[in-house]
Amino acid sequence: MDAALSLRFFPEFFLMSVERKSLEQREQMDDLSRLRHSCAHVMATAILRLWPQAQLAGGPPVENGFYYDIALDHAITPEDFEKIEAEMRRVVKANEPFRKEVVSREAAAELARSGRLGALSERGEPSRFKLEMLDDIPEGEEISLFYNGDFADLCAGPHVGRTGNCKAFKLLSVAAAYFKGDSSRESLQRVYGTCFKNSTALREHLEKLEEAKRRDHRRIGREMDLFQIDEAVGQGLVLWKPKGAVIRRELQEFITEELDRQGYSQVFTPHIGRLGLYQTSGHYPYYQESQYPPVVTREALKALADEGCSCAELNNRLEGGRVDGFLLKPMNCPHHIRIFASGHHSYRDLPVRLAEFGTVYRWEQSGELGGMTRVRGFTQDDAHIFCTQDQVAEEIRGCLDLVKVILGTLGMEDYRVRLSLRDPASDKYVGDPANWDKAEAALRDAVSGLGVEYTEELGEAAFYGPKIDFVVKDVIGREWQLGTVQVDYNLPERFDLQYVGSDNQPHRPVMIHRAPFGSMERFAGLLIEHFAGHFPVWLAPEQVRVLPVSDKTADYAGRVRAALAEAGVRVALDATADKIGAKIRRAQIDRTPYMLVLGPREEEEGTVAVRHSRRGDCGSPKLEEFVAMLRGEIDGRRR
């Protein structure tokens, strides 16, 4: 497997540091994680045998595998994996025990200064990463080393009994990573591998990865000419090409029909807003690290420069609200709030449901970007509902029903529901705890009525309110967080929103945030991979391709194409002089759902020989019969 593939499917392994676990958390490590942690040490042993000068940083187990971060002049490539794995097999065959040794802080430091930690012996230079990692261990916490054969490393464990337990392994990729995930620190090589309890489980996992590679939306997107990410435009900024735009338009029309049924009003808001708007909402500076820097007016910048204001002081003044500016919107919520606040509302007007396909901007680290699934500018199918307390339960049910309709239509019916709650011990949440309790109770009641299993996860709520997330499993078992519904008592408070109740007194509305697709870019990327580019005909950029066998039926092919276009079908005509087999293969590569093969017989009988990209030959109906069948499939959004 190449590095690009692993980077796509395991981005968290390569692009961020793993939060240091407590000793108690380490002791709770499951058996598979212990095995993978041990296999990481086996890999490190093998690499040091090949390149004794390698400096090791961290090597934790992670979901689906393990890695080690390494500083080494030799650039490790997938071509090196075979010899590393051969050396790993020798370490496994030796069946060396994993031995723990508890040492003092000074003894560990002395070993690190001698170069002994993360090494096979003492060396002429210190184990520089281990010295810093040693400093990160809290005072009073046990310091331990783990040995297997000649290899010793600073490690809290736990491990399996012997290296012989680590038989079913595979190295997968190598990529760049910064020490401790800090882009200002040294760039290291991160070698990633996986390990399972037996060869059968390993083989099944590798087969899934190969299937994932086949479905990679970036590769299929290029083949089908759906989208482009152009360095001249900017990383993480998606250019939807004409065929990809068809998919996006169909998805938007699909959800718009559902929104119209549920009484939503569509709005449009600008891509930028005053900084004070986001300071009121709490998005700035709360989300400052994931936002683009504020834009300050020329006049304000000149005045600040004239008084000698430093960049640091400017940032302080922006955060403190002493300098005005503008912000590329990270969220649509404040704009919708201001629309609601612009009018006078009675309880009879509620609920007010505002919907927008609104583009927002987040500053993602360049290494964290990945095709359409992790971008810097994305469009949300966003909506905000302003309602009374008595309407909350029904509105949540309406939001959840909308998500279920969308997932059901697209055949994504294998999902779980996650109820994300605040952690009372955390200080990242804003608002009255009593309002949080009401919001969490409302969501819990709503999700209980869905008839599906759900889990509650403390600490996963948004800073302003709890939420329900739909986590969808695709056809090869990968999970994706898609639709979300959030109940918010805090933003209406922060913006002092009001409506007049039946008692003729002002009351505070409740705000519900919901986005069934989440991000159009991410959702489209998921759909490409879910269907492997073979979209349901209603979503397909090109629904039918007309394939005349020869020039003899060129006129008939033109009439068939015209009839389909008249019926509102997205149709193309392959009028090249190629043989029919080549035309069919080209349409298959383009994943066009229907191909109509037209020869003299079809022209004489007024029929079309229908071939489906996945089902093969589908008979030779009359043209009008095929058009009626196709329109039914498109209009019914059948899969």
Side-chain angles (χ1 to χ4, degrees):
M1 177 177 298
D2 57 52
L5 170 62
S6 292
L7 183 59
R8 160 66 183 84
F9 291 103
F10 306 97
E12 68 273 22
F13 302 153
F14 301 109
L15 307 168
M16 59 183 72
S17 60
V18 174
E19 186 177 345
R20 190 177 186 277
K21 292 182 171 61
S22 67
L23 288 177
E24 182 180 356
Q25 288 173 319
R26 288 174 181 271
E27 286 303 321
Q28 294 172 352
M29 190 182 291
D30 61 58
D31 291 343
L32 189 55
S33 296
R34 288 176 185 243
L35 179 66
R36 288 170 174 165
H37 190 190
S38 305
C39 199
H41 282 230
V42 170
M43 181 182 74
T45 306
I47 288 173
L48 285 163
R49 287 182 179 181
L50 296 167
W51 299 284
Q53 73 276 25
Q55 286 273 354
L56 302 185
V62 285
E63 186 180 1
N64 291 316
F66 60 84
Y67 69 76
Y68 245 105
D69 284 342
I70 304 163
L72 180 62
D73 289 339
H74 171 78
I76 297 175
T77 69
E79 285 69 39
D80 293 315
F81 289 174
E82 185 176 343
K83 63 183 178 183
I84 297 173
E85 290 175 341
E87 200 62 51
M88 289 175 69
R89 284 190 287 272
R90 284 188 273 273
V91 177
V92 170
K93 187 176 181 180
N95 201 24
E96 300 160 346
F98 285 99
R99 178 171 60 86
K100 180 179 180 181
E101 181 181 334
V102 177
V103 298
S104 67
R105 186 177 295 271
E106 181 51 39
E110 182 58 35
L111 288 168
R113 286 191 288 268
S114 73
R116 181 68 182 94
L117 295 187
L120 302 177
S121 63
E122 292 187 2
R123 299 184 290 188
E125 61 176 324
S127 305
R128 60 183 188 276
F129 301 117
K130 302 302 177 180
L131 282 168
E132 186 167 337
M133 294 167 74
L134 182 61
D135 290 339
D136 293 336
I137 299 176
E139 288 294 332
E141 184 174 301
E142 176 185 277
I143 296 173
S144 62
L145 314 178
F146 269 87
Y147 292 83
N148 58 278
D150 293 331
F151 179 62
D153 203 2
L154 179 69
C155 180
H159 290 281
V160 296
R162 309 181 76 89
T163 60
N165 298 117
C166 305
K167 292 184 176 71
F169 64 82
K170 181 69 177 173
L171 299 189
L172 297 176
S173 66
V174 60
Y178 295 113
F179 182 50
K180 295 186 174 181
D182 184 346
S183 60
S184 67
R185 303 297 300 274
E186 183 173 353
S187 180
L188 307 174
Q189 299 181 74
R190 181 167 291 183
V191 182
Y192 172 77
T194 193
C195 184
F196 284 84
K197 294 179 181 179
N198 54 61
S199 58
T200 300
L202 174 63
R203 184 178 64 254
E204 290 174 351
H205 179 71
L206 295 177
E207 286 172 354
K208 281 187 177 182
L209 292 183
E210 285 303 312
E211 179 64 12
K213 179 179 179 181
R214 188 178 72 82
R215 292 173 178 269
D216 188 342
H217 76 277
R218 295 170 303 179
R219 180 179 64 81
I220 294 175
R222 285 192 300 271
E223 292 174 355
M224 297 183 67
D225 203 27
L226 300 178
F227 70 93
Q228 177 182 356
I229 297 177
D230 192 321
E231 286 296 322
V233 176
Q235 288 186 325
L237 302 174
V238 177
L239 300 175
W240 294 79
K241 302 181 86 169
K243 291 181 179 179
V246 169
I247 298 171
R248 174 168 169 164
R249 188 188 71 212
E250 288 290 345
L251 290 172
Q252 290 189 184
E253 289 177 357
F254 169 37
I255 195 170
T256 297
E257 289 177 12
E258 297 298 325
L259 296 180
D260 289 344
R261 290 190 188 99
Q262 291 195 14
Y264 282 81
S265 299
Q266 189 167 9
V267 297
F268 299 90
T269 63
H271 292 236
I272 193 169
R274 289 185 65 177
L275 192 58
L277 181 70
Y278 300 100
Q279 288 169 328
T280 300
S281 70
H283 292 110
Y284 186 87
Y286 185 85
Y287 283 132
Q288 185 175 359
E289 293 303 314
S290 60
Q291 295 168 357
Y292 279 84
V295 179
V296 181
T297 64
R298 291 186 179 89
E299 295 81 2
L301 278 177
K302 185 177 185 306
L304 291 166
D306 289 344
E307 66 177 78
C309 180
S310 68
C311 291
E313 176 58 22
L314 172 59
N315 188 60
N316 290 335
R317 294 189 190 187
L318 285 166
E319 288 190 20
R322 290 175 287 149
V323 174
D324 199 4
F326 292 85
L327 195 67
L328 278 172
K329 65 176 178 181
M331 302 281 189
N332 297 303
C333 333
H335 292 245
H336 291 191
I337 286 171
R338 294 308 303 168
I339 290 175
F340 178 84
S342 67
H344 177 81
H345 299 283
S346 160
Y347 71 97
R348 294 186 180 89
D349 304 324
L350 271 55
V352 172
R353 307 182 184 99
L354 304 179
E356 177 181 16
F357 293 101
T359 302
V360 297
Y361 302 89
R362 310 278 174 85
W363 178 255
E364 302 284 1
Q365 296 294 322
S366 59
E368 296 176 353
L369 301 172
M372 300 184 83
T373 57
R374 194 75 178 264
V375 294
R376 286 175 171 162
F378 55 93
T379 301
Q380 295 177 309
D381 60 322
D382 216 352
H384 297 92
I385 301 168
F386 303 88
C387 62
T388 69
Q389 177 63 49
D390 292 342
Q391 294 168 332
V392 168
E394 184 177 354
E395 291 304 310
I396 294 173
R397 281 194 294 272
C399 294
L400 298 179
D401 287 343
L402 178 59
V403 176
K404 291 175 69 176
V405 166
I406 289 170
L407 297 181
T409 300
L410 292 166
M412 301 169 131
E413 296 169 321
D414 185 1
Y415 60 83
R416 61 185 176 89
V417 176
R418 181 174 63 204
L419 178 56
S420 299
L421 309 173
R422 76 182 172 110
D423 180 356
S426 173
D427 60 358
K428 82 171 187 178
Y429 304 103
V430 298
D432 186 344
N435 284 338
W436 274 90
D437 291 342
K438 286 192 290 185
E440 290 178 351
L443 284 180
R444 189 177 284 111
D445 288 347
V447 76
S448 297
L450 272 179
V452 298
E453 291 187 8
Y454 69 94
T455 58
E456 296 189 2
E457 298 189 17
L458 286 179
E460 295 300 316
F463 78 96
Y464 51 80
K467 57 180 181 170
I468 294 173
D469 293 322
F470 284 75
V471 181
V472 177
K473 184 176 290 187
D474 68 14
V475 291
I476 58 173
R478 297 169 302 179
E479 287 194 331
W480 305 77
Q481 190 266 304
L482 294 180
T484 185
V485 180
Q486 305 170 8
V487 176
D488 181 3
Y489 286 81
N490 290 308
L491 288 184
E493 188 78 30
R494 294 173 77 99
F495 282 93
D496 193 26
L497 299 184
Q498 295 183 355
Y499 69 90
V500 177
S502 57
D503 57 0
N504 209 33
Q505 297 298 312
H507 294 267
R508 191 81 69 206
V510 181
M511 187 174 176
I512 297 173
H513 310 244
R514 72 106 192 93
F517 290 152
S519 152
M520 297 299 292
E521 287 74 9
R522 189 166 188 261
F523 195 81
L526 165 60
L527 285 183
I528 292 170
E529 298 192 355
H530 185 75
F531 293 117
H534 292 281
F535 295 103
V537 68
W538 66 275
L539 266 180
E542 180 186 288
Q543 295 166 324
V544 178
R545 188 172 298 181
V546 179
L547 309 176
V549 172
S550 69
D551 287 344
K552 294 178 181 178
T553 51
D555 289 343
Y556 181 54
R559 294 196 299 274
V560 169
R561 191 210 66 79
L564 288 164
E566 180 68 23
V569 176
R570 294 188 288 272
V571 58
L573 170 63
D574 187 343
T576 64
D578 295 333
K579 292 182 178 180
I580 192 63
K583 293 182 179 183
I584 291 173
R585 282 193 298 275
R586 196 155 48 235
Q588 284 284 161
I589 291 171
D590 291 341
R591 298 168 175 82
T592 303
Y594 285 105
M595 292 154 267
L596 303 185
V597 180
L598 306 180
R601 180 176 179 179
E602 283 75 27
E603 180 174 12
E604 181 181 341
E605 297 177 354
T607 61
V608 289
V610 181
R611 181 180 180 85
H612 191 271
S613 61
R614 286 171 295 166
R615 298 194 297 268
D617 292 334
C618 299
S620 299
K622 294 286 188 181
L623 173 60
E624 56 271 21
E625 292 174 358
F626 173 72
V627 171
M629 179 278 296
L630 186 63
R631 280 297 348 155
E633 188 172 347
I634 294 170
D635 296 340
R637 294 193 172 97
R638 299 188 201 127
R639 300 197 297 276

